[in-house]
């Protein structure tokens, strides 16, 4: 009633590339998409372990995910 379920946004892989943004200080990892032209990052989910990474890859249909710091 009060909360709406988030809908999954579709990303065009010609405009966006899948990346994992890693924090050097804390080690926190966030999976998302980076806009190729501008470098803008949209966070999709927090990565805590390999299972989260596999779920991200399966959900968005990506094979290769690069890390950025």
């Amino acid at each position: 009633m009060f909360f709406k379920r988030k809908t999954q946004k579709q990303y065009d892989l010609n405009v966006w590339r899948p990346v994992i943004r890693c924090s050097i200080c804390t080690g926190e990892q966030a999976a998302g998409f980076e806009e190729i032209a501008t470098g803008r990052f949209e966070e999709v989910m927090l990565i805590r372990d390999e299972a989260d990474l596999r779920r991200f890859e399966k959900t968005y249909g990506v094979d290769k995910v690069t890390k950025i710091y």
Side-chain angles (χ1 to χ4, degrees), residues 2-56:
F2 295 108
F3 301 102
K4 289 186 178 181
R5 181 174 288 264
K6 282 187 174 181
T7 58
Q8 181 179 335
K9 185 176 177 182
Q10 297 295 324
Y11 292 94
D12 181 10
L13 296 180
N14 294 322
V15 179
W16 298 87
R17 69 180 179 137
V19 295
I20 296 177
R21 188 166 68 177
C22 304
S23 170
I24 296 172
C25 299
T26 62
E28 181 179 78
Q29 297 181 353
F33 291 88
E34 181 181 41
E35 194 171 16
I36 296 170
T38 63
R40 184 172 60 102
F41 179 76
E42 277 196 24
E43 184 176 330
V44 175
M45 65 184 291
L46 183 66
I47 302 294
R48 291 175 285 205
D49 55 13
E50 282 294 316
D52 288 340
L53 178 60
R54 299 295 162 236
R55 190 173 73 223
F56 171 73

